[in-house]
Amino acid sequence: MSRFFRWLFIVAGVVVPTLLSITRAGAESPAVCQAYATEAVNDYNQAAAARCPLSNARWQPNYNNHYGWCLNAPTAWVQSEANFRRNELAVCKHEQRASQCREYAITAQSQAQSGVGCGFSGGRWHNSYDLHLDWCLHNPIEAANAELNTRYLLLGVCGRDPRFLACDAYARRAVAQNLENERRNCGYTGGRWQNNYENHLGWCINVDQQARDSESREREGPLSQCRTWPARGATVASGCAVSTIVRNDQCRNVDGTGSSLQPGGSQAVGCGASAQEARERALFSYRQTFGALNDGDQPANGSCTYDTEDVAGCLCL
């Protein structure tokens, strides 16, 4: 039994009696703990017969220790310990699926440790071998492989690898394009049109720059048409005499490297009663959808220079 649990028993039983009633309120019944302790000892005997190198407090032949721990542990802990022990036993017996998941859990734990400082959160990034192993054993192996790949991609972005940064820019733009598709109610669907950043990132890393640019254009073309359509059930806004189209020119990633976004690869439209009003609205729309713009000849890091085109008439919703 771990030092923590021994300490818990002392505090609960002697120093702070009221804590015992609080703990027991969420603990298992004697009948459940009898079954738990019996299974724990049986698992230990199987592990010993198989010569498994298991030596922590989870693995011991003392029925009373398992039983006493169970009585004072929350239900979730009891269930988890039983699951983790079964999982380890399956690994020790070299069951095929368990062996695969052992490799997954080791790699996942290592990836989680590498991601410390990146700001990642959620179950994907916890540092528990037991939890990764248990998750793998209860999900298709294809899902486990996908999780490993997703962590690999996100660690590449966090590590500022230029190839991953280029795909990070592509994936963010792809999500922005689909958000505009949804906001404008354009109705475009299919794998190309989704808000899953990780899916876009994974697709990008396996293709060349030409394919990425082509895919971005395949979204931008329909979007440029949709921008000229009136919204469903809406009428053309009054005071819309001039339209301004803003297109990106040269762009840089946040780390100062050149962006994969080609000149004219993204655009936004604004309308108004005057060219100035239309231009202000177009610039606002672009920044809201695609990000920063600057007026100089050279883009600042994380921004684009831009061109504008004024058109008589109304191209807006």
Side-chain angles (χ1 to χ4, degrees):
M1 184 175 298
S2 70
R3 182 178 301 172
F4 169 75
F5 289 127
R6 287 198 299 270
W7 176 85
L8 179 63
F9 294 161
I10 293 172
V11 172
V14 179
V15 181
V16 189
T18 56
L19 183 61
L20 183 61
S21 61
I22 296 173
T23 304
R24 285 190 181 279
E28 285 292 8
S29 67
V32 168
C33 288
Q34 289 169 6
Y36 168 83
T38 298
E39 181 182 7
V41 172
N42 181 57
D43 287 343
Y44 171 84
N45 290 333
Q46 291 186 59
R51 300 179 183 235
C52 300
L54 306 172
S55 58
N56 57 30
R58 181 178 292 159
W59 296 95
Q60 55 175 300
N62 191 312
Y63 173 94
N64 290 332
N65 283 351
H66 288 299
Y67 179 75
W69 176 83
C70 174
L71 286 176
N72 290 276
T75 298
W77 291 12
V78 174
Q79 294 173 345
S80 292
E81 277 299 294
N83 284 338
F84 294 161
R85 194 179 293 107
R86 294 185 203 109
N87 295 343
E88 285 192 68
L89 188 58
V91 169
C92 176
K93 292 180 175 180
H94 303 290
E95 296 178 9
Q96 182 178 2
R97 180 62 188 280
S99 296
Q100 292 174 326
C101 286
R102 173 181 178 275
E103 296 303 315
Y104 166 83
I106 291 172
T107 305
Q109 185 180 35
S110 176
Q111 289 176 317
Q113 292 169 347
S114 298
V116 172
C118 294
F120 300 139
S121 61
R124 175 178 291 152
W125 297 100
H126 59 63
N127 193 28
S128 168
Y129 166 88
D130 283 328
L131 290 175
H132 285 302
L133 178 64
D134 190 64
W135 180 88
C136 177
L137 286 169
H138 291 86
N139 287 276
I141 199 67
E142 294 79 10
N145 289 333
E147 280 295 293
L148 292 177
N149 188 57
T150 296
R151 276 189 290 266
Y152 162 75
L153 294 170
L154 295 175
L155 286 171
V157 174
C158 177
R160 315 300 296 170
D161 183 298
R163 186 166 65 105
F164 289 85
L165 286 177
C167 283
D168 171 63
Y170 165 84
R172 291 180 185 277
R173 183 186 176 203
V175 171
Q177 287 174 314
N178 192 54
L179 289 173
E180 183 179 2
N181 165 45
E182 295 176 344
R183 187 175 67 253
R184 293 181 181 275
N185 208 9
C186 300
Y188 302 130
T189 60
R192 174 178 293 143
W193 300 95
Q194 58 173 297
N195 295 332
N196 191 314
Y197 163 85
E198 294 161 1
N199 285 352
H200 289 299
L201 184 66
W203 178 86
C204 173
I205 208 71
N206 293 307
V207 300
D208 59 21
Q209 187 64 55
Q210 183 177 0
R212 299 169 194 167
D213 293 341
S214 175
E215 189 68 6
S216 291
R217 286 193 297 270
E218 289 296 324
R219 279 186 293 267
E220 190 60 30
L223 276 177
S224 65
Q225 295 178 359
C226 181
R227 293 180 188 119
T228 68
W229 303 341
R232 298 176 188 177
T235 58
V236 176
S238 60
C240 183
V242 181
S243 301
T244 298
I245 304 171
V246 174
R247 299 182 180 89
N248 73 289
D249 188 14
Q250 301 298 318
C251 300
R252 284 183 185 170
N253 296 319
V254 292
D255 65 343
T257 59
S259 172
S260 61
L261 183 61
Q262 298 299 308
S266 59
Q267 67 177 38
V269 179
C271 301
S274 66
Q276 180 179 353
E277 185 179 34
R279 185 174 185 271
E280 290 175 354
R281 289 176 176 173
L283 290 171
F284 178 80
S285 177
Y286 187 100
R287 290 185 173 105
Q288 288 290 101
T289 304
F290 300 108
L293 291 170
N294 67 318
D295 295 320
D297 294 331
Q298 296 295 325
N301 292 356
S303 70
C304 300
T305 56
Y306 63 93
D307 296 317
T308 63
E309 177 187 0
D310 294 332
V311 179
C314 188
L315 300 179
C316 299
L317 303 182

